[in-house]
Amino acid sequence: MTTDLGGSLLKLRDIRKSFGKLEVLKGIDLDVAAGEVVSIIGASGSGKSTFLRTINAIEPADSGTMAFDDKTFDFDSTSGQHPSERDLQALRSRIGMVFQSYNLWPHKTVLENVTHAPVRILGKSRAEATEMAEGLLDRIGLYDKRHTSPQRLSGGQQQRVAIARALAMTPRLMLFDEVTSALDPELVHEVLMLMASLAADGMTMLLVTHEMSFARDVSSRVLFFEDGVIGEQGPPGKMLRDPQSPRLRQFLHSILHDDLSQAKAGGLV
């Protein structure tokens, strides 16, 4: 079904998701314009990662409606219009997602990891996929590692390859789920710099992050998730400097305290 997005690349209405009796998402409404960078913050268990997974239907919503690009997906079981698996696969091919764990194939080289999906899913020739992949690997500074096993790369390098693999599908939207949380502190910067360059190029991005400085400097908007709903949202400067809700103030205080403790432990202060 086609739809008029009214200038938005992504529209979500009353998105809900439960696992058994646990309701994780309790009615999410969100519009994301093309080129926006939306950072999602909140405590563990607030629904952030599940929310990203409903967008590319790794965990399809139980109810609600999503409009993406030129399609509307109705997840309301009362309508009898659940999207088909074919439709969901087409959706996933246009939305890139990068996880905390790199999920690279250890038995394939870096180049083979990046070319696999464009050949198998998009039907690109091996030569075309290789040319694109090598261009992406050159951009992220890993061209010379293209014939290397991912297991021989650092965590930061593996995460950059995972981002390149997602970009090889030429997505309209990129989702990042705490992609730096498993990295050593000295490797975080190289991944964040790559993500910042994507934002500067106009890539539409939604990211779950605890990197408050990145959210402040790169985001168009920040969402604060609490208990399965968006508790507060707004421009990053206002959200992070002048939080309106006690829950957000408490969360930001705890993040600042954790960052200071890590810095002291590392001898940085």
Side-chain angles (χ1 to χ4, degrees):
M1 181 191 307
T2 60
T3 186
D4 179 7
L5 295 181
S8 295
L9 177 65
L10 176 69
K11 280 191 174 184
L12 304 168
R13 294 293 180 268
D14 198 26
I15 295 295
R16 297 175 180 271
K17 180 67 180 180
S18 296
F19 296 98
K21 294 182 179 180
L22 177 63
E23 188 178 19
V24 179
L25 301 178
K26 302 176 181 179
I28 303 294
D29 294 338
L30 183 67
D31 289 20
V32 179
E36 257 200 294
V37 177
V38 180
S39 288
I40 303 169
I41 63 175
S44 297
S46 58
K48 308 182 303 295
S49 294
T50 297
F51 175 62
L52 286 192
R53 288 169 176 265
T54 62
I55 292 175
N56 73 345
I58 291 178
E59 298 283 358
D62 295 329
S63 63
T65 301
M66 179 173 73
F68 175 72
D69 217 351
D70 59 348
K71 293 283 188 180
T72 295
F73 300 87
D74 188 351
F75 295 97
D76 188 347
S77 59
T78 63
S79 70
Q81 296 185 22
H82 272 292
S84 67
E85 184 57 33
R86 181 177 180 178
D87 286 340
L88 293 180
Q89 288 177 354
L91 171 71
R92 295 178 192 120
S93 72
R94 292 182 291 165
I95 299 178
M97 187 161 185
V98 185
F99 302 87
Q100 176 179 334
S101 55
Y102 325 121
N103 293 330
L104 298 174
W105 287 298
H107 61 287
K108 294 180 181 291
T109 66
V110 166
L111 184 63
E112 289 168 341
N113 266 275
V114 179
T115 59
H116 180 82
V119 171
R120 292 288 301 272
I121 298 175
L122 298 183
K124 292 183 179 293
S125 69
R126 182 71 59 183
E128 184 181 9
T130 297
E131 181 179 6
M132 175 183 286
E134 288 182 340
L136 288 169
L137 292 172
D138 184 55
R139 173 179 179 175
I140 67 174
L142 292 174
Y143 179 81
D144 61 336
K145 302 290 187 182
R146 64 193 184 281
H147 298 308
T148 301
S149 166
Q151 294 174 306
R152 301 185 65 181
L153 303 181
S154 70
Q157 290 173 328
Q158 290 188 61
Q159 195 60 286
R160 283 150 58 199
V161 172
I163 293 172
R165 180 176 62 179
L167 292 173
M169 294 292 287
T170 59
R172 295 272 283 140
L173 170 66
M174 284 288 291
L175 309 176
F176 297 92
D177 188 8
E178 300 207 51
V179 296
T180 61
S181 62
L183 299 178
D184 292 334
E186 64 269 22
L187 302 178
V188 169
H189 179 70
E190 64 189 61
V191 175
L192 294 181
M193 287 294 291
L194 173 57
M195 293 169 64
S197 73
L198 295 178
D201 288 345
M203 173 62 74
T204 311
M205 298 162 53
L206 274 76
L207 55 131
V208 171
T209 184
H210 282 96
E211 300 291 340
M212 294 299 113
S213 59
F214 183 86
R216 180 194 63 223
D217 297 339
V218 178
S219 303
S220 317
R221 189 170 19 142
V222 174
L223 311 181
F224 173 58
F225 265 56
E226 57 172 326
D227 195 25
V229 300
I230 299 175
E232 194 172 333
Q233 64 175 300
K238 178 176 176 55
M239 282 277 292
L240 301 178
R241 284 198 306 265
D242 185 26
Q244 299 301 298
S245 69
R247 291 283 294 274
L248 178 54
R249 286 195 294 270
Q250 180 183 20
F251 172 76
L252 292 175
H253 177 76
S254 68
I255 289 291
L256 179 61
H257 181 269
D258 289 346
D259 289 346
L260 183 60
S261 296
Q262 290 177 9
K264 287 181 177 178
L268 300 178
V269 294

